[in-house]
Amino acid sequence: MDSSTRVVVNTGIQYVRTVVQVAIMLYTSRVVLDNLGVEDYGIYNLVGGVIAMLSFIQINLANTTIRYLSYHHGKNDMPMVIKIFNNSLCIQLFFGLVICVLLVCATDFVFANMLNISMERLSVAKVVYYLMIGSLFFNLVSTPYFASLISHENLVYSSMVQIVDSILKVPIVVSLIYVTFDKLIWYSCGSLFLVIFNFI
């Protein structure tokens, strides 16, 4: 595939991905709000916001990895590309473990000083917090793989994975209608499953 065709294909698939993701998000957000209720939906977004604050680490490391992989890929220096990828993976594993351990150790501080959650839902909120820490870990570890796809300009594959991820959200969200135990925990487990699926 020549460069101009690749640009057209990559741009087209990204537009398709965006349209699919927005359409599914418009549907699923309403169903999630209806089934979780205002309080649990707020808890999910509040706890998720604390974890999401750390996403800047993933973004910065991904951009750095993409830059070096792209440079050496352009020079056709595959031994260096492999070395950079392996180093990036080791760094992400290290950072992921350290950040997750720190977040687990800071659980009591976070819930006592940063979040205002009712005592009735505090234990559930902590379970959601731990599940989101797991999601953060897999997101961090997947960064080198994502960077490798981008540096190879393989946007079709990465976009297809993101589209499948969005489509898989639908059965998880619809299942909230039929779940008989705590729906917030079920939804958080489903979100973690999707992150692990993307990583695999």
Side-chain angles (χ1 to χ4, degrees):
M1 184 184 304
D2 59 35
S3 297
S4 58
T5 306
R6 181 178 294 149
V7 169
V8 171
V9 171
N10 286 341
T11 303
I13 193 68
Q14 288 189 76
Y15 275 118
V16 170
R17 182 203 67 195
T18 302
V19 169
V20 170
Q21 286 180 323
V22 168
I24 290 174
M25 187 179 65
L26 288 172
Y27 169 73
T28 56
S29 59
R30 180 180 59 83
V31 177
V32 170
L33 179 58
D34 287 344
N35 286 280
L36 290 184
V38 175
E39 183 181 4
D40 282 354
Y41 189 76
I43 289 171
Y44 182 82
N45 286 299
L46 181 65
V47 174
V50 173
I51 305 298
M53 285 190 301
L54 299 170
S55 64
F56 74 93
I57 297 172
Q58 178 190 10
I59 293 167
N60 288 334
L61 289 173
N63 288 338
T64 303
T65 306
I66 289 168
R67 184 169 63 241
Y68 283 104
L69 286 175
S70 298
Y71 175 77
H72 289 287
H73 187 264
K75 291 178 67 177
N76 205 23
D77 187 358
M78 292 313 293
M80 195 63 181
V81 169
I82 293 168
K83 184 177 180 181
I84 291 169
F85 177 85
N86 290 336
N87 288 341
S88 175
L89 184 59
C90 291
I91 291 169
Q92 294 289 2
L93 277 169
F94 174 75
F95 271 118
L97 288 172
V98 169
I99 289 170
C100 290
V101 168
L102 289 175
L103 285 172
V104 169
C105 293
T107 301
D108 292 334
F109 174 80
V110 169
F111 281 89
N113 299 295
M114 295 177 68
L115 304 179
N116 184 14
I117 297 172
S118 63
M119 291 301 296
E120 297 81 21
R121 301 299 288 165
L122 189 60
S123 60
V124 172
K126 286 185 177 181
V127 172
V128 172
Y129 178 77
Y130 293 132
L131 291 170
M132 288 191 172
I133 290 173
S135 298
L136 175 66
F137 175 76
F138 283 104
N139 276 330
L140 286 171
V141 175
S142 67
T143 300
Y145 300 100
F146 174 75
S148 180
L149 288 173
I150 299 301
S151 68
H152 286 82
E153 298 180 2
N154 197 347
L155 299 181
V156 174
Y157 181 77
S158 62
S159 295
M160 292 305 294
V161 170
Q162 291 171 329
I163 289 171
V164 170
D165 171 65
S166 297
I167 292 170
L168 286 175
K169 283 181 183 174
V170 175
I172 291 172
V173 168
V174 171
S175 69
L176 288 172
I177 301 169
Y178 306 102
V179 169
T180 55
F181 56 93
D182 197 288
K183 294 184 177 187
L184 181 55
I185 293 177
W186 173 261
Y187 183 63
S188 301
C189 288
S191 298
L192 176 59
F193 163 77
L194 286 179
V195 171
I196 295 171
F197 172 81
N198 276 340
F199 174 72
I200 292 170

